[in-house]
Amino acid sequence: MIRTVAQTGSTNADLIALAAQGAAEGTWLRAQRQTGGRGRMGRDWQSPPGNLYASTIVRLQPHDPAAPTLALVAAVALADVVRAYTPDVAVVIKWPNDLLMGGAKLAGILLERAGDAVVVGIGVNLAHHPEGLDRPVTNLAAHGHQLDPAIFIEDLAACLARWIARWRSEGLAPVRAAWLASAHPPGTALVANLGDGDLVEGLFDGLTDEGALRLRLAGGAVRVIHAADVFLI
């Protein structure tokens, strides 16, 4: 079920509240505008009309893979949908779940857990992108693709449901393979901000079997990163 509202503070916050009231898996909420959207690491997410701001609920089951790997699932599904609309433009996933187009950020995903529910928030710059950030940002309209968020979310909901079904029935392996196929090439220079002021620079060396980031350091050792804000160098 997809519900659309003209405005809300945060679709993630709304669905966390609905999850606590028993809302089912597959519940979606899309806002035409958010006044309190947020991204990873506590960042504000600017939300002008015309972009996609949406969240959905996944109810964890006893034999599901680890909940944090839903970040990879969501990234793969979102990349599939964007790629279907923009076959002429390369779409790349940056760990764990940002989408880049032409080296600039196009979309972000934020997972928040509440009991047995994981709320997956997805923001896609369809028509606009913020200015003055510390990283390149873009939108699909700037690449010549005018997309209606009401139609985009229908395709995204269907694609994400298919990938969640595979994640449950086949485990993380097919998700990890699809993620790697959409990622920047091995050897790409990255810097990971661990959130405590510690920065780790290295070369992209793929993912562990559990989906953590592998960074090959200057001396040849591999550092495994489980949580960080990652930037291309």
Side-chain angles (χ1 to χ4, degrees):
M1 178 189 74
I2 300 174
R3 179 186 171 211
T4 298
V5 296
Q7 179 173 298
T8 191
S10 160
T11 58
N12 260 35
D14 291 351
L15 280 198
I16 288 171
L18 287 175
Q21 298 168 20
E25 176 166 313
T27 298
W28 282 84
L29 176 66
R30 179 177 75 88
Q32 295 173 352
R33 183 174 181 271
Q34 291 184 128
T35 58
R38 57 191 187 274
R40 296 185 68 248
M41 311 294 275
R43 291 192 182 89
D44 290 337
W45 186 273
Q46 296 182 30
S47 307
N51 291 343
L52 178 75
Y53 317 109
S55 301
T56 189
I57 296 172
V58 179
R59 290 283 182 186
L60 298 174
Q61 299 177 10
H63 301 293
D64 283 347
T69 63
L70 279 167
L72 306 183
V73 178
V76 167
L78 182 57
D80 280 355
V81 175
V82 171
R83 199 174 286 118
Y85 281 111
T86 62
D88 56 320
V89 185
V91 177
V92 174
I93 302 174
K94 177 175 68 67
W95 191 87
N97 51 25
D98 283 347
L99 252 63
L100 307 180
M101 183 171 278
K105 183 171 178 176
L106 175 72
I109 297 169
L110 176 66
L111 270 63
E112 297 184 280
R113 184 165 178 178
D116 72 341
V118 175
V119 173
V120 182
I122 300 175
V124 185
N125 296 331
L126 298 179
H128 316 280
H129 66 266
E131 303 288 348
L133 300 186
D134 59 354
R135 68 192 75 185
V137 190
T138 191
N139 66 77
L140 286 177
H143 293 270
H145 297 279
Q146 305 289 335
L147 300 180
D148 183 342
I151 296 174
F152 187 94
I153 195 174
E154 295 281 352
D155 293 333
L156 178 58
C159 189
L160 181 58
R162 289 193 296 271
W163 273 109
I164 289 173
R166 291 196 66 184
W167 174 76
R168 285 202 165 112
S169 62
E170 302 176 46
L172 185 59
V175 176
R176 178 179 177 275
W179 191 100
L180 287 169
S182 293
H184 34 68
T188 298
L190 303 174
V191 58
N193 181 348
L194 304 185
D196 55 2
D198 190 12
L199 300 178
V200 179
E201 293 187 12
L203 302 181
F204 177 60
D205 195 49
L207 304 179
T208 67
D209 289 344
E210 294 76 32
L213 174 67
R214 290 169 50 93
L215 279 183
R216 187 165 298 279
L217 307 182
V222 172
R223 174 81 176 265
V224 175
I225 307 291
H226 294 277
D229 209 12
V230 175
F231 301 87
L232 301 176
I233 297 177

